[in-house]
Amino acid sequence: MRQPFIKRKTDKYTVKKLDDNNYIQELRRKLQEELNEYLEATSNEEALEELADLVEIIHALSFIHNGNFEKVEAIRQRKFKERGGFTEKIYLIDVDDSV
């Protein structure tokens, strides 16, 4: 097992192995925590650090859902081709489904 990051800061820490249900729960909690940290970032450097943390969690979650990051990326690319993305800075205000 890799040495936890915390080990570099102190020799006193406690860890435990999570079962599958708790692992998913904690990954989701960590995802929300890292998203909040991204939203609170005040510099590009901070934002990129938090985005990297989010990507790491997405990697882990993709395995939970019987996939991998490459599959997530393939889905993202497909959806981009079908619907476009956010790079054009176009904001959808409303859709009239009554037509």
Side-chain angles (χ1 to χ4, degrees), residues 28-85:
R28 288 178 174 179
R29 184 193 61 74
K30 189 68 173 169
L31 182 68
Q32 185 64 56
E33 175 187 316
E34 296 298 340
L35 176 59
N36 289 338
E37 289 176 10
Y38 166 74
L39 293 172
E40 294 170 5
T42 58
S43 70
N44 288 334
E45 184 66 27
E46 275 184 273
L48 291 172
E49 287 287 329
E50 299 309 331
L51 287 171
D53 291 343
L54 285 164
V55 170
E56 185 62 34
I57 296 165
I58 291 168
H59 273 271
L61 286 168
S62 69
F63 285 103
I64 295 293
H65 297 291
N66 297 319
N68 56 41
F69 192 76
E70 290 74 21
K71 186 171 184 177
V72 171
E73 178 59 15
I75 294 167
R76 185 200 67 79
Q77 288 179 10
R78 175 184 50 79
K79 292 175 90 171
F80 180 85
K81 287 176 185 172
E82 291 172 359
R83 305 182 210 175

Side-chain angles (χ1 to χ4, degrees), residues 83 90-99:
R83 305 182 210 175
I90 296 171
Y91 186 79
L92 179 63
I93 296 170
D94 191 17
V95 175
D96 184 358
D97 287 334
S98 66
V99 179

